[in-house]
Amino acid sequence: MISIIIPVLNEVDTIGKLLYHIKQNVSASNISEIIVVDGGSTDGTLNIISDFVTSSDSEQREELNREANKNVLDTKFKKRNFTRTDVQLCSDVIDTERSADFQNQSKILLINSKKGRAKQMNLGAKHATGNILYFLHADSFPPKNFDQLIINEVNKGNKAGCFRLQFDSNHWWLQLASWFTQFSWRACRGGDQSQFITKTLFNDIGGYDENYIIYEDNILINELYARNEYVVINKKIKTSARLYRKHGVWTLQYHFWTIYVKKWLGASADDLLAYYKKYVC
């Protein structure tokens, strides 16, 4: 079973689309829960997520469902002149249908966290009940049946990995960079490709390094490569090129390369963050 963990901070434009995409592209029997970990959003992200949170996760949501059922019964009673017995039967049918729907539906949990993607993802992992963790950015949309693709790899003994990447851009460089992600080279990895990892291996590593506000995905990936525990699934996850559109492809690519080289030369987590805040934020 897979626990999907999505860290968010002011993702009002993407989180609803992503949650809907996930629900349409997985088998609920493979998913333990979807955990959205918010780092303090102020843009309406929480309002969007609240529309997806399941009744088992919120007393307020449960009350809304009860009220919705009551309205359905009242409407049916007025239109068809049901007897009291008919109303009770109708209620029983609706409760049964809701129960069946819930059993076939993955739970969606909302957890509040301190700001910082590493902190948010580690907290999500602590709440996860699945034996496979799947970390997903809020602007990245995995391929159809990604849940089964991940399970297939784990069953083959591959304890961690990602998907190849596709940007939502026609820029030739981004298309070329995306093409290279099908290969297993370390330099072609990044958090936008998502990350699946068995919970046992994740705990053994110690999770994400919370000292890193940026580059946290790469720190974990480095450890997985050092252990020879990585596989690339040759299916495309589609991610947003919004930062490239904001800063310009070549400018942003230069800054990303600079951060990569700085880390290779021994820059600290604080040094990387300072550079990112100065040139990318």
Side-chain angles (χ1 to χ4, degrees), residues 3 23 53 72-73 87 102 135 149 163 169 183 237 263:
S3 293
K23 300 288 277 186
V53 173
V72 170
L73 287 173
V87 171
F102 176 72
F135 298 98
L149 294 170
F163 292 96
S169 169
F183 303 109
I237 182 171
K263 181 63 180 71

Side-chain angles (χ1 to χ4, degrees), residues 133-136 142-143 146 149-150 153-154 158-165 178 180-197 208 217 221 224-225 229-237:
L133 307 177
Y134 182 50
F135 298 98
L136 183 63
F146 67 89
L149 294 170
I150 290 171
E153 292 300 328
V154 173
N158 296 315
K159 299 177 183 178
C162 68
F163 292 96
R164 62 181 294 190
L165 189 64
S178 298
F180 274 109
T181 63
Q182 67 186 290
F183 303 109
S184 61
W185 305 329
R186 170 63 190 89
C188 296
R189 302 283 75 81
D192 285 334
Q193 293 174 260
S194 69
Q195 175 70 62
F196 76 84
I197 182 172
Y208 287 94
D217 291 306
I221 292 170
L224 291 171
Y225 267 81
E229 293 282 6
Y230 214 88
V231 66
V232 179
I233 301 175
N234 195 23
K235 295 291 183 179
K236 297 177 181 178
I237 182 171

